[in-house]
């Protein structure tokens, strides 16, 4: 590890912390386009703030129609390394206890708030690494560009826009996941189950169920509204389902029940407690009028059993040695008196195909009486663990942290999923759950500093 760089980052870490606080305080959740703001006002503000920070670090910036910004260490050098991060975030969600989602606080050596670990904190750590190299006057022979996106969480149309006019560098890493390095990202497979039916006004009945804020997050909260539900008859069933699913279930109004579980990223659904599924199970057991609507609802727990995240209920359970198990989670729920729809997110191993995945799910959903739709399957992303690029990144990581470096396969998709020779490289250290996409998201300040040191060392080895 370059000790001069290490000392500089440690001496200036308070500046990094303040920049992370400032950027994360902007509630940059995707919203409808407004004028020249393609993802809404707040994502635009966050992108502009990131550009401002990059310019203060001495980088040359460029704005790509408010979709993406770039920050070049030195635009005169040959474009060789891209560092790809994003300033948009998932919705705040419920259940925050340490602070409000966009009121960033420092507590016990941690920064709490939405975006601190996904991905504003890591993005700024990589930029700070470049700042250290620039401030110390260390020359580079190859150009480094930080690409700052603003639509990673809802489709990555920003990066598609960027690559309409720019070419990727020969090497790309994204600080949008975990260390040591992720060279395999599973494929993605999403589907929607829906049904329409004649409204049945007989009571007691369900008026609505709503759960889920994003397709890539296990729902933490579900709200069900009823007509004619007998509270005394409902309470024993509520207690039973609450214990069985390890969720909180309570009346929050006379004819309203709220279920509180625990959110998790869709790539690791087993770490959450799915409030939407628990709510559906509750509906299937309450003493309600046996309508066509209720008959369909009762089929959901068989297709997506509570606590089962391998896709076996819809026939898509898969495993291979290279990328491990398929994961599947039902994350968006909507029921009204004449319509219902549910959407799932599956992360598929390298061995997944249309025949053993998409076709099987379609058959299971249709057999249960639902209409089926899907955007199709996104293939996995693989970069060879034997490449010089990957080996250099791992050596930098190991030398800085003293931890073993190894390649990993994950279910989460990162910005580099469609970029040749692109890998996810940090920024979260092993064994730490930063609650990204969940309540009380955080990043350890020491983690940010270490990440900046790793990135600086990697940049020097790749581009000096």
């Amino acid at each position: 590890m370059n000790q001069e760089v290490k000392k500089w980052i440690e001496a200036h870490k308070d500046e990094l912390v303040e920049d992370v606080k400032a950027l994360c305080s902007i509630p940059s959740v995707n919203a409808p386009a407004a004028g020249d703001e393609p993802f809404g006002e707040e994502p635009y503000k966050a992108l502009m703030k990131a550009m401002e920070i990059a310019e203060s670090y001495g980088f040359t910036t460029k704005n790509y129609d408010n979709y993406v910004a770039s920050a070049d260490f030195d635009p005169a050098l040959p474009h060789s390394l891209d560092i790809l991060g994003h300033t948009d975030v998932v919705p705040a969600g419920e259940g925050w206890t340490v602070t409000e989602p966009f009121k960033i606080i420092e507590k016990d050596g941690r920064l709490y708030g939405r975006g601190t670990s996904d991905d504003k904190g890591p993005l700024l750590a990589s930029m700070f690494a470049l700042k250290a190299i620039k401030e110390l006057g260390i020359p580079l022979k190859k150009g480094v560009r930080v690409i700052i996106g603003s639509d990673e969480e809802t489709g990555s149309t920003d990066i598609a826009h960027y690559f309409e006019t720019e070419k990727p560098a020969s090497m790309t890493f994204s600080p949008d996941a975990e260390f040591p390095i992720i060279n395999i990202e599973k494929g993605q497979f999403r589907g929607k189950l829906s049904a329409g039916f004649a409204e049945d006004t007989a009571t007691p009945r369900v008026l609505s169920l709503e759960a889920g804020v994003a397709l890539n997050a296990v729902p933490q909260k579900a709200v069900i509204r009823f007509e004619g539900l007998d509270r005394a008859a409902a309470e024993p069933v509520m207690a039973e389902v609450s214990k069985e699913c390890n969720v909180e279930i309570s009346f929050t109004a006379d004819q309203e029940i709220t279920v509180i579980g625990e959110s998790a990223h869709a790539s690791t659904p087993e770490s959450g407690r799915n409030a939407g599924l628990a709510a559906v199970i509750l509906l299937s057991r309450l003493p309600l009028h046996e309508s066509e609507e209720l008959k369909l609802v009762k089929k959901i727990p068989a297709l997506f059993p509570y606590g089962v995240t391998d896709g076996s209920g819809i026939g898509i359970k898969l495993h291979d040695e290279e990328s491990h198990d398929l994961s599947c989670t039902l994350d968006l729920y909507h029921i009204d008196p004449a319509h219902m729809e549910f959407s799932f997110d599956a992360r598929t191993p390298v061995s997944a195909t249309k025949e053993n995945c998409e076709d099987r799910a379609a058959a299971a959903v249709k057999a249960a009486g639902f209409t089926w739709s899907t955007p199709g399957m996104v293939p996995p992303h693989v970069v060879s663990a034997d490449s010089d690029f990957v080996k250099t990144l791992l050596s930098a990581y190991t030398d800085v942290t003293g931890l073993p470096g190894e390649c990993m396969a994950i279910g989460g998709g990162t910005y580099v999923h469609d970029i040749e020779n692109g890998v996810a490289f940090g920024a979260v250290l092993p064994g730490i759950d930063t609650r990204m996409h969940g309540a009380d998201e955080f990043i350890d300040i020491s983690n940010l500093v270490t990440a900046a040191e790793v990135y600086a060392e990697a940049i020097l080895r790749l581009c000096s």
Side-chain angles (χ1 to χ4, degrees):
M1 170 73 201
N2 185 302
Q3 293 302 310
E4 189 179 17
V5 171
K6 182 180 177 68
K7 289 177 182 178
W8 191 95
I9 291 173
E10 181 62 36
H12 294 83
K13 66 181 180 181
D14 290 346
E15 299 172 25
L16 173 59
V17 168
E18 291 306 310
D19 287 338
V20 173
K21 288 180 179 178
L23 187 57
C24 290
S25 67
I26 302 170
S28 50
V29 178
N30 183 282
D36 59 356
E37 299 166 354
F39 310 114
E41 181 180 5
E42 298 302 335
Y44 168 78
K45 288 181 180 178
L47 188 64
M48 294 304 102
K49 183 63 178 179
M51 284 186 69
E52 176 188 318
I53 292 170
E55 289 164 1
S56 76
Y57 288 1
F59 306 143
T60 302
T61 63
K62 182 176 179 179
N63 184 342
Y64 294 81
D65 304 318
N66 298 330
Y67 281 73
V68 170
S70 64
D72 282 300
F73 178 85
D74 182 350
L77 294 173
H79 183 201
S80 301
L81 174 65
D82 283 338
I83 301 173
L84 182 55
H86 64 92
T87 56
D88 60 309
V89 295
V90 297
E94 304 283 344
W96 290 74
T97 60
V98 178
T99 186
E100 297 173 19
F102 298 104
K103 183 178 181 181
I104 314 305
I105 67 165
E106 183 177 342
K107 181 180 179 181
D108 300 327
R110 289 177 168 174
L111 291 176
Y112 285 89
R114 178 63 82 228
T116 51
S117 65
D118 183 21
D119 182 44
K120 294 174 179 177
L123 167 66
L124 290 181
S126 67
M127 288 171 55
F128 208 70
L130 266 182
K131 180 183 181 182
I133 293 169
K134 181 172 280 289
E135 290 289 326
L136 291 168
I138 301 173
L140 297 181
K141 294 181 179 179
K142 299 178 181 179
V144 183
R145 172 175 294 177
V146 180
I147 302 172
I148 307 163
S150 56
D151 185 43
E152 191 273 345
E153 300 291 359
T154 50
S156 298
T157 59
D158 53 346
I159 294 304
H161 183 81
Y162 170 82
F163 284 125
E164 287 176 2
T165 55
E166 298 285 358
K167 293 181 179 180
S170 59
M171 305 175 288
T172 302
F173 73 74
S174 176
D176 190 23
E178 303 170 355
F179 285 124
I181 199 168
I182 295 164
N183 71 316
I184 297 177
E185 296 178 15
K186 293 179 181 178
Q188 187 175 73
F189 171 43
R190 290 174 166 178
K192 180 184 291 185
L193 304 69
S194 58
F197 37 83
E199 181 174 357
D200 189 334
T201 59
T203 59
R205 65 169 180 155
V206 182
L207 292 179
S208 67
L209 183 153
E210 300 291 342
V213 295
L215 187 48
N216 61 355
V218 173
Q220 184 261 350
K221 178 180 180 180
V223 178
I224 321 170
R225 294 183 176 85
F226 301 88
E227 182 181 11
L229 180 65
D230 181 82
R231 182 167 185 151
E235 286 178 338
V237 183
M238 293 164 61
E240 175 187 89
V241 176
S242 175
K243 181 178 180 181
E244 182 180 318
C245 298
N246 192 24
V247 295
E248 298 176 15
I249 304 178
S250 60
F251 274 96
T252 45
D254 177 48
Q255 290 288 303
E256 179 183 280
I257 291 176
T258 297
V259 180
I260 301 295
E262 183 175 350
S263 186
H265 194 281
S267 64
T268 55
E270 68 280 357
S271 64
R273 289 176 282 125
N274 195 315
L277 269 180
V280 168
I281 291 170
L282 178 65
L283 284 183
S284 71
R285 298 182 187 177
L286 285 171
L288 301 173
H289 169 65
E290 192 70 13
S291 62
E292 182 66 25
E293 174 188 35
L294 190 61
K295 290 177 182 177
L296 285 166
V297 168
K298 287 182 176 181
K299 294 181 179 181
I300 294 298
L303 296 171
F304 301 92
Y306 190 86
V308 177
T309 58
D310 61 6
S312 54
I314 54 174
I316 61 173
K317 183 177 180 179
L318 294 170
H319 172 88
D320 58 54
E321 291 303 316
E322 188 176 20
S323 50
H324 313 302
D325 294 321
L326 178 146
S327 64
C328 181
T329 173
L330 194 66
D331 289 341
L332 295 180
Y333 301 71
H334 169 81
I335 299 175
D336 62 49
H339 177 259
M340 66 176 64
E341 63 181 43
F342 310 90
S343 296
F344 70 83
D345 184 337
R347 306 301 168 99
T348 56
V350 173
S351 56
T353 64
K354 181 180 184 298
E355 290 73 23
N356 67 19
C357 197
E358 185 177 333
D359 291 350
R360 290 179 184 176
V365 167
K366 292 175 181 177
F370 293 94
T371 298
W372 162 257
S373 64
T374 178
M377 298 177 66
V378 177
H381 173 73
V382 181
V383 176
S384 173
D386 294 325
S387 70
D388 289 340
F389 175 48
V390 169
K391 288 179 178 179
T392 300
L393 293 179
L394 285 177
S395 69
Y397 167 79
T398 296
D399 289 352
V400 171
T401 66
L403 299 171
E406 59 184 0
C407 289
M408 302 183 294
I410 64 162
T414 72
Y415 249 174
V416 298
H417 194 90
D418 296 317
I419 299 175
E420 186 177 357
N421 205 33
V423 297
F425 186 47
V428 178
L429 291 165
I432 302 173
D433 178 7
T434 62
R435 304 174 194 150
M436 62 174 65
H437 287 210
D440 294 332
E441 178 183 343
F442 72 88
I443 190 85
D444 289 311
I445 293 171
S446 61
N447 191 154
L448 280 178
V449 171
T450 298
E453 293 172 355
V454 171
Y455 293 143
E457 185 66 18
I459 290 164
L460 291 173
R461 294 186 184 193
L462 292 168
C463 300
S464 290

